Amino acid sequence: NAGVTQTPKFRVLKTGQSMTLLCAQDMNHEYMYWYRQDPGMGLRLIHYSVGEGTTAKGEVPDGYNVSRLKKQNFLLGLESAAPSQTSVYFCASTRLRSGATYNEQFFGPGTRLTVL
Amino acid sequence: AQSVSQHNHHVILSEAASLELGCNYSYGGTVNLFWYVQYPGQHLQLLLKYFSGDPLVKGIKGFEAEFIKSKFSFNLRKPSVQWSDTAEYFCAVNEGDDKIIFGKGTRLHILP
């Protein structure tokens, strides 16, 4: 199993350009997440999805859109990139929660994005 | 508001020293707790987790953590650190919904 994969690994954009980051998981997980990681800020949740066709906003959703058309894929879009979106982006997935138990998240290798 | 606090932003220790990293959360209900580790240039990996039962949980690589409900804490410990433990450590909390909240992380640097 590949686990959680992300493409691309690196990208440089100019201000105003658009791009899509792809996350794929082969573990049949229901939940998927997009985070950004910035120095001293930890991981902040951008958007997440609890199932195919559903998405929800996280802590820092502005400037991003997502889609979950297939269970195994979760796309993160930047319509008009800004320098403030320079960051490392991580995707994660986890199984459906069972009662009071929320299972651990599995992370992808990350995408380093620079916006000039 | 939900919050997770990691008190130490940067810790420097010598090899064989004992380690304790603090984590506090604010939610008063049932929680699921996690510690993740991120080695340089890598993605996050799970160290250990607490769901219920014995409040002292053991994880990989000799790490353990103790859930103290009365103190809203979940501190990470290791009796003797190694140079290979140099990494960033994140505490995370699930508060009964479908996501987790991460602390801001603690950078641990072990001197050889």
Side-chain angles (χ1 to χ4, degrees), chain B residues 54-104:
Chain B
D54 188 345
L56 184 62
V57 292
K58 295 190 183 299
I60 61 172
K61 304 186 180 186
F63 286 91
E64 65 179 31
E66 184 175 12
F67 170 53
I68 303 179
K69 189 174 182 179
S70 61
K71 295 184 178 181
F72 297 85
S73 70
F74 190 55
N75 293 355
L76 181 71
R77 300 194 293 247
K78 185 170 183 178
S80 177
V81 294
Q82 301 173 310
W83 178 80
S84 58
D85 293 325
T86 293
E88 190 160 15
Y89 293 80
F90 294 93
C91 180
V93 177
N94 168 261
E95 301 180 354
D97 55 5
D98 295 324
K99 57 188 184 296
I100 58 177
I101 306 296
F102 283 89
K104 295 189 178 196

Side-chain angles (χ1 to χ4, degrees), chain A residues 54-69:
Chain A
T54 70
T55 62
K57 293 181 180 180
E59 180 186 356
V60 289
D62 293 342
Y64 305 94
N65 56 75
V66 289
S67 64
R68 183 104 181 263
L69 299 180

